[in-house]
Amino acid sequence: MDIVCLDLEGVLVPEIWIAFSQESGIPELKRTTRDEPDYDKLMKWRLGILREHGLGLKEIQETIAKIDPLPGAKEFLDELRSLTQVIIISDTFTQFAKPLMEKLGWPTIFCNSLEVAESGEITGFKMRIENSKYTTVKALQSIGYETIASGDSYNDLAMIKAGKAGFLFKSTDKIKADNPEIPAFENYDELLAAIKANLS
């Protein structure tokens, strides 16, 4: 039995932090997991910047409300879900993901959660499990699933490499150059065809 595991940001929706960086006028917040492999370090740095500028969950959610899925993403996901089981495995947070899941037709998502004070300040974050993408894929394999995965960033590489098939999607030139063995695609038709070719 197959299950497809997809990253969210950069694959199905635009990068939330990049959108918020543009909206807030804080260029440092453009940094993502495409630039920084250490997610814990990246998030602590982001929270420090939010504190510095007095920004909290409300401001980020206002930006997320304006974000639409990437063109063709919902159609791709709908077709994929008609063929096989699909889970989105993301390092984002439930407080960010909900409006985006609604726009994508409520697919299943495994993600993390933010710790938020009554004032709306984001005080911390709780990862669902360490190395969540890889750990989740291995857990799915342990209950009889064969996994096919796709993502765009450093934190997707372990889950992409762990399954029976894996693909980079809209990734950076550096990540593609460093991982030449992973097929890389730029559009949903190519990615869908590659996934279909690997379904049992």
Side-chain angles (χ1 to χ4, degrees), residues 12 15 26 31 34 44 53 97 99 145-146 148 169 198:
L12 298 170
E15 293 278 352
I26 304 169
R31 198 165 170 75
R34 290 166 161 234
K44 285 176 176 160
H53 291 269
Y145 284 101
E146 289 200 83
I148 299 169
F169 186 69
N198 284 279

Side-chain angles (χ1 to χ4, degrees), residues 2-3 7 28 33-34 39 48 62 79-80 84 95 111 113 116 127 139 142 163 171 178 183 185 190:
D2 296 311
I3 195 158
D7 177 36
E28 302 96 305
T33 48
R34 290 166 161 234
Y39 189 73
E62 283 167 1
E79 184 163 353
L80 191 54
T84 189
Q95 293 93 333
C111 61
S113 60
V116 185
M127 301 302 279
S142 78
S171 191
D178 289 348
F185 301 113
E190 292 172 343

Side-chain angles (χ1 to χ4, degrees), residues 34-195:
R34 290 166 161 234
D35 313 298
E36 173 53 72
D38 185 334
Y39 189 73
D40 191 61
K41 183 175 158 188
L42 178 65
M43 269 310 296
K44 285 176 176 160
W45 182 74
R46 284 168 169 167
L47 295 188
I49 292 171
L50 292 178
R51 261 193 302 279
E52 237 174 79
H53 291 269
L55 297 167
L57 181 60
K58 178 175 159 285
E59 289 81 9
I60 299 175
Q61 286 178 329
E62 283 167 1
T63 296
I64 292 169
K66 301 175 196 169
I67 294 176
D68 286 319
L70 293 168
K74 185 174 185 303
E75 295 75 7
F76 160 75
L77 196 55
D78 287 347
E79 184 163 353
L80 191 54
R81 289 166 73 194
S82 75
L83 302 170
T84 189
Q85 296 295 311
V86 179
I87 295 179
I88 297 169
I89 305 176
S90 173
D91 278 338
T92 193
F93 305 96
T94 51
Q95 293 93 333
F96 290 0
K98 193 176 176 187
L100 298 169
M101 293 306 99
E102 183 174 3
K103 290 177 183 179
L104 286 168
W106 298 112
T108 299
I109 183 168
F110 291 173
C111 61
N112 305 304
S113 60
L114 291 168
E115 293 162 353
V116 185
E118 277 183 36
S119 64
E121 182 193 341
I122 301 170
T123 54
F125 57 97
K126 191 173 186 314
M127 301 302 279
R128 188 169 48 81
I129 193 167
E130 202 177 320
N131 199 355
S132 66
K133 296 186 181 195
Y134 175 76
T135 308
T136 302
V137 158
K138 295 310 282 181
L140 289 166
Q141 291 167 358
S142 78
I143 55 170
Y145 284 101
E146 289 200 83
T147 62
I148 299 169
S150 183
D152 68 323
S153 295
Y154 285 107
N155 62 340
D156 298 313
L157 292 172
M159 81 167 176
I160 288 171
K161 292 176 179 178
K164 74 167 180 178
F167 311 104
L168 287 167
F169 186 69
K170 295 182 185 289
S171 191
T172 66
D173 290 341
K174 176 155 178 36
I175 292 173
K176 287 188 279 193
D178 289 348
N179 298 274
E181 76 286 3
I182 304 175
F185 301 113
E186 294 302 318
N187 69 61
Y188 292 117
D189 290 344
E190 292 172 343
L191 181 58
L192 187 64
I195 293 170

